[in-house]
Every structure is written in structure tokens, then in C-alpha cells.
Amino acid sequence: MSLGVVVQGLRSQKGWTQEELSEKSGISIRTIRNLESGRITNPRRSSVDLLFAALDESGGHRPYRPSSLRLADLAPAVQSAGFDALRTGARPWHGPRPPINSFIGRERDLATLTGTVLDNRVTMLTGPGGVGKTRLALAAAESLHAHLDGPVFVIGLGAVPAESRSPILDVDDLVRADGGRHGIELSALLNAPPTGGGASIMQSLVVLDNAEHLPQGAAMFAEHLVRERPGTHVVITTRRSVPAPSAQVYEVAPLPADSPDALELLLSRVRSTCPALDLSHDLDAVRMLCSHLEGIPRTIEFAAEKLRAIPVSRLVTDAFGTHELGCADPSTLPHQRSLSGSVRWSLDLLDDRHRTVLRELAEIPSPFTIDEVERVLAHHSDLSSTEIFDVVAELVENSLVHVCHGREYTYHLLAQVRAFVS
């Protein structure tokens, strides 16, 4: 049993959040999250002593002895929390695994998200298409896998018809959403009697991936699991928020477009797809390309593939039309194979009012304010000010318009959205 699992079990037994343990022990919340997620495997002795001093039932100081760490040395609370000291293998994993290629620029997000999933029964990852919600959710699930007492289920919902065309009314429909590949196991999870440990102990993890077109069904399924399955946590990835009252929202932002991470992601993917290509003499153009692609990881990966055939000097020009980037990967959903397909997928979830307003917004240089939106639409739309504000808010919720929460809110459209609707 890893030290992180032990700390998590003791903390959960006391009903403390990671923030509360941080306050009581004096150890930073970041260290606690990294320890419990397995990112820290050899912590400082002083840090561990402080953690166990705070977690000790008697309030005393318990020294850390790495060479002789045993379950009985820590506290009987770990046993009552449902952990088996003799089990070292992880529980089953049903569904897609994280990609095996490198995970660049998301280390901080991963550590934070892992802690968020541990502390909340339902976690909702939102953000625009291609920003990396699925990859981040699967990486967090993998990080937590060895800590679970039960299985991980990853259920892809992207191929399920949208609710507007084929309403999902009950949990059984979502159990079958993965084409029956894992329906038996998931049904067993839903129908089996709860195991010991209570709702505070994380036993199983269910990832509902690509849920933006199934907001009611995904929310209903998540709430069902929270209510009926103590110890089961749910992660939902979606371009727009789903109405799950118990969910903690985690917004996945693009990589900073001018950051070393964006540059390294593109160069790393180029090394994978075209090892003979040397871009060391064109780094200024590559940086310009990353900036033009606005730090969207999937877009950067599309560009890396295109560099096999098109020089960066041409790809970086607006005239070439980077919004038409894509790939022909049959393992991905159709709307994930191109930038235009991705934007069209999001637009298909909206009504005519949203499309009209979005076209008008594409004519306003970014960033813009809500006053500018109201002024422009007053001359081109029959919508009232209240309706305009409502539509803009819904476009933000659908990750098609992005807002910067300063003293005065400012808004902008990603280049791929602006190019598609103009």
C-alpha cells in the first residue's frame, strides 16, 4: 500500500478535505494532493511526521519509518476505511485508456484535478473542443486507479444520438451507451449492494466522456450514482455544463499560446509523425504558428501532422486556412477529426438565435465587452437586451465564447470559431 493511499484513507475516515488537512498539519495543499495522487513517492520525513501528527487519533506525534511502514503502524482507521493492506494490484479498468504519447503542459492541471475528483462526488470538466478534456480526465483516472477499491469505467457518449432527437430517459439507456462493451460490469456496479466505508471513501470511478449533447441524461446518471452508490465518484467531460447540482466544475483552458509548453507539444508531435523533419531553423515561425493556433492542443496536433506535407512558412499564413486542419484517424469520432467538424458539432446543439448572435460576434474584433455586443446587435437583431445577455451567457456555457473575468468582463472567440461562422 502506498503512503498516499494511507494518508487519503486516514483523512477520509476523519471526514476532512485536503484543505482541512493542510490547515491542521501545516503542509501545503499542493503537497497533499501530489502525495495522494501518487506524484510524490518519496516525501520529506518532516512533512510526513507533520501529516501523521495531525491524523493521529490520539493527537500525538507518530514518526515515519519508511523501512518498516506497515498498516498497523499507522491507525486502525485505515482498515475500517475499507483498504486491504495485502492487495497491491489495481482493480479492473473498463473502457479507453489514456494515450501513451507524452502529456505536455498539463502537470499542474492534473495534480489539481486529481485532488478535485478525490474531494467531490461529481466533477465536471468543461472547455472548448480540442482543449484536452478527455485526455486530462483519463490521466486523472489513471493516477487514481491504484488507489481505488473498485473499478474504473470510461463510457464514451459521443456516438449516442443527441437528446433533442432521441431523448435519454433512464439510466439503462446510458448503461448501453458504450455499445454494450461494458454494460454487464456497469450494471453490476449499479445493482450490487454498497461495500463498506461510506460515501467518503472513493471505491469506484465512472468517467462520462463527451456529454455535451446529453445534458439531462448525463446529469441524471451522475445523480443516480451519487445517490445509490456510496463511494463511487463521477467525472463528466462536456463542452457545456450539464445540470448536475452536486458537480464541481473544472474549466480546462487552452495552453498559453506563446508558452514553451505549446511549442514543446508541437515539436514533440512532429518528432512522432515525421522524425526526419528538423524545425530548429524555423522556431520563430513555429512559435508564430502556435500563437495562431491559440494553444488548443488538438489543433496543435493537427498542425504537426500537416507539417509532414506543408512547410511551416506556408502553414503559418492566414491564407492557408488553418481552421481547415484535421486528420483522418478512424479511431476518433467524426466531429473530432477536423476543426470545422468540431465547431459544427457545437453549433448543431444551438438554435437559430445562437447562430445569429455568434455570426454578429464574429464581426467584432476580440476582445470585446457586453456593451459592444449590445450596441452591434441592436442594429442587426430583434432581440431585447435581456435576450441578448441570455444568448451570450449560453454561448459562454457552450464554450463558443470565452470570458475573462476582470473588473469589466471581456469576451473573445477562438479563431477556429470565428473563421467557421464568418
Side-chain angles (χ1 to χ4, degrees):
M1 176 181 291
S2 71
L3 180 61
V5 172
V6 173
V7 171
Q8 179 195 345
L10 290 169
R11 176 179 63 79
S12 298
Q13 178 67 17
K14 287 181 173 293
W16 294 349
T17 64
Q18 291 178 331
E19 287 78 5
E20 288 172 319
L21 177 55
S22 176
E23 292 175 2
K24 296 176 187 295
S25 66
I27 301 301
S28 72
I29 181 65
R30 180 178 181 180
T31 296
I32 293 172
R33 284 175 176 166
N34 286 342
L35 179 62
E36 292 190 357
S37 68
R39 293 183 63 81
I40 293 178
T41 58
N42 187 27
R44 296 177 181 175
R45 174 180 298 212
S46 58
S47 297
V48 177
D49 283 352
L50 288 172
L51 284 171
F52 284 136
L55 290 164
D56 196 320
E57 290 283 308
S58 63
H61 182 73
R62 186 185 304 275
Y64 174 48
R65 299 184 299 277
S67 62
S68 59
L69 180 64
R70 296 177 299 155
L71 186 64
D73 289 332
L74 301 174
V78 180
Q79 291 178 336
S80 63
F83 292 103
D84 181 356
L86 299 178
R87 182 170 57 244
T88 58
R91 304 299 290 172
W93 180 297
H94 305 284
R97 289 275 192 167
I100 60 174
N101 55 12
S102 54
F103 192 64
I104 297 172
R106 293 299 191 191
E107 293 79 7
R108 181 175 298 179
D109 279 308
L110 178 58
T112 303
L113 178 61
T114 301
T116 300
V117 174
L118 282 170
D119 287 341
N120 296 274
R121 296 294 305 281
V122 182
T123 303
M124 187 187 313
L125 275 68
T126 65
V131 79
K133 299 181 295 295
T134 297
R135 182 168 296 189
L136 185 58
L138 294 183
E142 185 173 61
S143 179
L144 292 167
H145 188 205
H147 296 193
L148 300 180
D149 196 48
V152 170
F153 293 93
V154 180
I155 305 175
L157 302 176
V160 179
E163 287 178 351
S164 60
R165 295 189 291 273
S166 178
I168 288 183
L169 301 177
D170 57 50
V171 171
D172 288 340
D173 290 314
L174 280 176
V175 171
R176 293 189 294 268
D178 64 350
R181 291 189 299 274
H182 312 294
I184 295 176
E185 295 90 344
L186 189 54
S187 295
L189 169 68
L190 294 173
N191 297 323
T195 56
S200 63
I201 301 303
M202 188 172 179
Q203 298 163 351
S204 302
L205 179 62
V206 177
V207 179
L208 300 178
D209 191 30
N210 292 312
E212 56 269 2
H213 60 307
L214 304 167
Q216 300 296 330
M220 181 173 57
F221 191 25
E223 294 300 320
H224 174 88
L225 288 172
V226 168
R227 184 178 62 253
E228 302 294 335
R229 302 301 311 167
T232 294
H233 290 224
V234 182
V235 175
I236 303 171
T237 74
T238 175
R239 298 186 187 188
R240 62 173 173 176
S241 297
V242 303
S246 61
Q248 173 66 45
V249 176
Y250 189 94
E251 186 172 358
V252 183
L255 298 172
D258 57 353
S259 69
D261 288 332
L263 177 63
E264 175 56 28
L265 177 60
L266 190 144
L267 293 177
S268 172
R269 298 300 183 259
V270 167
R271 287 193 293 267
S272 298
T273 60
C274 189
L277 177 60
D278 182 7
L279 294 174
S280 60
H281 301 295
D282 295 309
L283 289 182
D284 287 343
V286 174
R287 291 188 183 94
M288 189 180 301
L289 178 61
C290 290
S291 178
H292 186 64
L293 300 176
E294 299 181 297
I296 300 293
R298 190 61 174 144
T299 306
I300 292 173
E301 292 175 338
F302 284 160
E305 293 185 26
K306 188 64 69 175
L307 286 171
R308 287 169 53 88
I310 305 297
V312 65
S313 59
R314 289 298 310 276
L315 194 59
V316 77
T317 63
D318 291 337
F320 188 79
T322 52
H323 64 281
E324 292 299 332
L325 290 172
C327 70
D329 184 356
S331 67
T332 60
L333 294 165
H335 68 267
Q336 296 176 339
R337 297 174 191 170
S338 68
L339 300 189
S340 57
S342 177
V343 176
R344 186 181 297 108
W345 169 263
S346 291
L347 291 178
D348 284 346
L349 303 177
L350 306 177
D351 59 30
D352 290 338
R353 292 186 315 154
H354 298 92
R355 298 186 187 97
T356 298
V357 170
L358 196 59
R359 281 194 295 271
E360 296 296 337
L361 296 183
E363 300 301 319
I364 309 175
S366 294
F368 50 85
T369 66
I370 195 67
D371 291 337
E372 292 177 275
V373 173
E374 186 177 18
R375 185 164 54 251
V376 169
L377 288 177
H379 301 291
H380 299 86
S381 171
D382 295 330
L383 300 176
S384 66
S385 294
T386 300
E387 289 173 320
I388 290 172
F389 297 158
D390 287 344
V391 171
V392 170
E394 289 163 5
L395 290 172
V396 170
E397 287 298 315
N398 279 269
S399 301
L400 287 165
V401 173
H402 301 274
V403 57
C404 178
H405 299 101
R407 187 168 224 173
E408 179 181 36
Y409 283 19
T410 56
Y411 305 83
H412 79 276
L413 272 65
L414 290 174
Q416 62 194 55
V417 176
R418 187 182 296 275
F420 186 85
V421 301
S422 296

